[in-house]
PDB file of all heavy atoms in Angstrom:
ATOM      1  N   LEU A 464      21.172 -25.573  20.967  1.00 95.00           N
ATOM      2  CA  LEU A 464      20.481 -26.687  20.600  1.00 95.00           C
ATOM      3  C   LEU A 464      21.268 -27.932  20.072  1.00 95.00           C
ATOM      4  O   LEU A 464      20.742 -29.048  19.730  1.00 95.00           O
ATOM      5  CB  LEU A 464      19.438 -26.324  19.470  1.00 95.00           C
ATOM      6  CG  LEU A 464      18.357 -25.353  19.873  1.00 95.00           C
ATOM      7  CD1 LEU A 464      17.546 -24.873  18.631  1.00 95.00           C
ATOM      8  CD2 LEU A 464      17.334 -25.985  20.950  1.00 95.00           C
ATOM      9  N   GLU A 465      22.652 -27.721  20.005  1.00 94.00           N
ATOM     10  CA  GLU A 465      23.490 -28.712  19.587  1.00 94.00           C
ATOM     11  C   GLU A 465      23.204 -29.027  18.032  1.00 94.00           C
ATOM     12  O   GLU A 465      23.419 -30.285  17.646  1.00 94.00           O
ATOM     13  CB  GLU A 465      23.513 -29.920  20.467  1.00 94.00           C
ATOM     14  CG  GLU A 465      23.990 -29.740  21.794  1.00 94.00           C
ATOM     15  CD  GLU A 465      23.967 -30.954  22.656  1.00 94.00           C
ATOM     16  OE1 GLU A 465      24.570 -32.000  22.273  1.00 94.00           O
ATOM     17  OE2 GLU A 465      23.315 -31.050  23.729  1.00 94.00           O
ATOM     18  N   ILE A 466      22.802 -28.112  17.306  1.00 95.00           N
ATOM     19  CA  ILE A 466      22.625 -28.149  15.931  1.00 95.00           C
ATOM     20  C   ILE A 466      24.007 -27.988  15.190  1.00 95.00           C
ATOM     21  O   ILE A 466      24.607 -26.877  15.391  1.00 95.00           O
ATOM     22  CB  ILE A 466      21.505 -27.388  15.379  1.00 95.00           C
ATOM     23  CG1 ILE A 466      20.135 -27.834  15.972  1.00 95.00           C
ATOM     24  CG2 ILE A 466      21.432 -27.322  13.849  1.00 95.00           C
ATOM     25  CD1 ILE A 466      19.025 -26.805  15.559  1.00 95.00           C
ATOM     26  N   PRO A 467      24.430 -28.719  14.358  1.00 92.00           N
ATOM     27  CA  PRO A 467      25.846 -28.640  13.816  1.00 92.00           C
ATOM     28  C   PRO A 467      25.980 -27.378  12.773  1.00 92.00           C
ATOM     29  O   PRO A 467      27.013 -26.952  12.706  1.00 92.00           O
ATOM     30  CB  PRO A 467      26.163 -29.989  13.159  1.00 92.00           C
ATOM     31  CG  PRO A 467      24.791 -30.614  12.839  1.00 92.00           C
ATOM     32  CD  PRO A 467      23.859 -30.073  14.010  1.00 92.00           C
ATOM     33  N   THR A 468      24.880 -27.167  12.025  1.00 92.00           N
ATOM     34  CA  THR A 468      24.996 -26.075  11.117  1.00 92.00           C
ATOM     35  C   THR A 468      23.867 -25.073  11.102  1.00 92.00           C
ATOM     36  O   THR A 468      22.737 -25.413  11.194  1.00 92.00           O
ATOM     37  CB  THR A 468      24.992 -26.743   9.636  1.00 92.00           C
ATOM     38  OG1 THR A 468      26.005 -27.755   9.618  1.00 92.00           O
ATOM     39  CG2 THR A 468      25.195 -25.691   8.541  1.00 92.00           C
ATOM     40  N   ALA A 469      24.279 -23.774  11.082  1.00 96.00           N
ATOM     41  CA  ALA A 469      23.215 -22.730  10.963  1.00 96.00           C
ATOM     42  C   ALA A 469      23.451 -22.004   9.582  1.00 96.00           C
ATOM     43  O   ALA A 469      24.559 -21.742   9.289  1.00 96.00           O
ATOM     44  CB  ALA A 469      23.499 -21.737  12.127  1.00 96.00           C
ATOM     45  N   ILE A 470      22.415 -21.836   8.858  1.00 96.00           N
ATOM     46  CA  ILE A 470      22.463 -21.366   7.408  1.00 96.00           C
ATOM     47  C   ILE A 470      21.786 -20.044   7.528  1.00 96.00           C
ATOM     48  O   ILE A 470      20.660 -19.942   7.981  1.00 96.00           O
ATOM     49  CB  ILE A 470      21.783 -22.295   6.559  1.00 96.00           C
ATOM     50  CG1 ILE A 470      22.424 -23.635   6.578  1.00 96.00           C
ATOM     51  CG2 ILE A 470      21.765 -21.690   5.069  1.00 96.00           C
ATOM     52  CD1 ILE A 470      21.540 -24.839   5.999  1.00 96.00           C
ATOM     53  N   ILE A 471      22.364 -19.007   6.892  1.00 96.00           N
ATOM     54  CA  ILE A 471      21.817 -17.676   6.722  1.00 96.00           C
ATOM     55  C   ILE A 471      21.886 -17.357   5.215  1.00 96.00           C
ATOM     56  O   ILE A 471      23.016 -17.046   4.644  1.00 96.00           O
ATOM     57  CB  ILE A 471      22.575 -16.529   7.633  1.00 96.00           C
ATOM     58  CG1 ILE A 471      22.423 -16.948   9.081  1.00 96.00           C
ATOM     59  CG2 ILE A 471      21.948 -15.264   7.329  1.00 96.00           C
ATOM     60  CD1 ILE A 471      23.711 -17.568   9.641  1.00 96.00           C
ATOM     61  N   PRO A 472      20.845 -17.299   4.541  1.00 93.00           N
ATOM     62  CA  PRO A 472      20.940 -16.990   3.070  1.00 93.00           C
ATOM     63  C   PRO A 472      21.256 -15.535   2.911  1.00 93.00           C
ATOM     64  O   PRO A 472      21.176 -14.710   3.670  1.00 93.00           O
ATOM     65  CB  PRO A 472      19.416 -17.224   2.709  1.00 93.00           C
ATOM     66  CG  PRO A 472      18.796 -18.071   3.632  1.00 93.00           C
ATOM     67  CD  PRO A 472      19.437 -17.739   5.068  1.00 93.00           C
TER      68      PRO A 472
END
Side-chain angles (χ1 to χ4, degrees):
L464 293 170
E465 299 180 54
I466 292 176
T468 305
I470 302 165
I471 299 97

